[in-house]
């Protein structure tokens, strides 16, 4: 018989063939298992799961954004209400100062109120009235114009700008303001009186036409002795003689 293999000798051809076959069989099972798992994988379900997760995250972001915007609006509203309350207090302070003929204090109070609520037409109109009392019609005109840019039919602003323009000698502009005020309030008696006063002031301020002048040329003529006997000539000559040459009484 064949001698047994000696210790330390390499594996026989039979054993090598057996192990290789086993490895191939294992690889075949592994690939088969992988393909089987892929066939069982629900790709559409996975996509829907991802989409659902993204939709949930987007919904959460929208809710957070909405909450933050609501908080910001609430804070802004609170700030505006606080500013409006402070502005109203300053307006009343200005009215009190104006009533006490403290016109500079009134202007200061209205100015502070405008810093808080810059789109309040009544504050511009009130400050214009105080400026008129301080003899500042140009500044009052500007304030009334600002008020009218906010409220074009603000009657008090129209009347006060008319006063300012009349003080500035701008009668046509003043009359336009008064007519607009009467369009808004046809029964406003104060506006009607001011309109009549403005028309009278414009008529009085209109330059009067000078009467035409006539130019008379005075020509020197030679003395004619034949005219000395004429009474008119004698009187004229007597008037031209120096005072010292005449006889004393």
């Amino acid at each position: 018989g064949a001698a047994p293999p000696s210790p330390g000798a390499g594996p026989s051809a039979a054993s090598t063939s057996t192990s290789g076959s086993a490895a191939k069989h294992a690889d075949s099972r592994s690939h088969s298992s992988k393909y089987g798992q892929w066939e069982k994988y629900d790709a559409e379900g996975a996509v829907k799961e991802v989409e659902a997760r993204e939709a949930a995250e987007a919904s959460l972001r929208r809710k957070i954004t909405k909450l933050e915007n609501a908080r910001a609006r609430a804070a802004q509203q609170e700030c505006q209400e606080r500013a409006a309350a402070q502005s109203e207090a300053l307006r009343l302070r200005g009215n009190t100062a104006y009533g006490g003929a403290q016109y500079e204090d009134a202007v200061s109070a209205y100015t502070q109120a405008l810093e808080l609520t810059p789109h309040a037409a009544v504050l511009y109109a009130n400050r214009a009235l105080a400026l008129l009392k301080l003899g500042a019609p140009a500044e009052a005109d500007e304030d009334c114009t600002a008020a009218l840019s906010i409220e074009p039919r603000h009657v008090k602003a129209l009347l006060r700008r008319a006063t300012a323009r009349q003080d500035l000698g701008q009668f046509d502009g003043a009359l336009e303001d008064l007519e607009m005020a009467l369009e808004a309030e046809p029964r406003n008696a104060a506006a009607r009186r001011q309109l009549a006063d403005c028309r009278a002031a414009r008529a009085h301020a209109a330059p009067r036409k000078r009467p035409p002048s006539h130019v008379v040329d005075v020509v020197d003529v030679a003395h004619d002795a034949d005219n000395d006997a004429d009474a008119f000539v004698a009187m004229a000559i007597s008037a031209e003689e120096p005072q010292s040459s005449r006889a004393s009484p």
Side-chain angles (χ1 to χ4, degrees):
S6 59
S12 65
S15 64
T16 301
S17 174
T18 302
S19 63
S21 176
K24 288 180 179 179
H25 183 65
D27 289 342
S28 176
R29 285 200 310 268
S30 176
H31 288 303
S32 177
S33 176
K34 290 179 179 178
Y35 286 127
Q37 291 176 357
W38 175 253
E39 289 177 355
K40 294 179 181 179
Y41 179 70
D42 185 5
E44 184 177 353
V47 170
K48 289 182 178 179
E49 183 180 350
V50 171
E51 290 177 346
R53 184 168 61 251
E54 291 178 348
E57 292 174 353
S59 177
L60 180 60
R61 286 194 297 270
R62 286 194 298 270
K63 289 179 180 179
I64 293 173
T65 301
K66 186 176 181 180
L67 179 61
E68 290 176 348
N69 290 341
R71 288 176 177 173
R73 286 193 299 270
Q76 183 180 17
Q77 181 68 21
E78 182 181 355
C79 182
Q80 290 176 349
E81 290 176 356
R82 184 166 56 252
Q86 293 174 354
S87 176
E88 178 63 11
L90 287 165
R91 185 187 70 83
L92 294 175
R93 184 190 303 176
N95 291 354
T96 300
Y98 181 88
Q102 299 173 348
Y103 304 121
E104 291 183 357
D105 292 343
V107 168
S108 177
Y110 295 139
T111 301
Q112 293 178 59
L114 279 167
E115 292 174 356
L116 294 167
T117 52
H119 299 292
V122 63
L123 293 174
Y124 286 106
N126 285 6
R127 189 170 68 176
L129 185 60
L131 287 168
L132 286 172
K133 292 294 185 179
L134 290 172
E139 291 78 2
D141 187 326
E142 291 179 1
D143 268 2
C144 290
T145 300
L148 292 167
S149 68
I150 300 169
E151 294 184 26
R153 295 175 67 84
H154 196 291
V155 173
K156 288 184 177 180
L158 286 168
L159 296 178
R160 291 165 191 176
R161 189 169 70 173
T163 300
R165 290 181 172 181
Q166 187 171 339
D167 290 348
L168 293 168
Q170 300 172 4
F171 299 106
D172 291 339
L175 289 172
E176 288 179 4
D177 285 342
L178 291 168
E179 289 169 358
M180 289 177 63
L182 285 169
E183 286 179 5
E185 296 182 4
R187 297 183 179 181
N188 191 317
R192 289 185 177 279
R193 287 194 300 270
Q194 190 172 348
L195 180 65
D197 292 343
C198 186
R199 285 174 176 168
R202 183 179 65 171
H204 182 73
R208 297 179 180 177
K209 293 182 179 180
R210 297 178 61 184
S213 58
H214 300 281
V215 179
V216 179
D217 293 332
V218 179
V219 180
D220 292 334
V221 296
H223 178 256
D224 186 355
D226 294 339
N227 292 327
D228 289 348
D230 187 278
F232 177 78
V233 174
M235 182 177 63
I237 293 174
S238 175
E240 292 178 356
E241 290 180 354
Q243 185 72 24
S244 57
S245 65
R246 296 180 184 180
S248 57

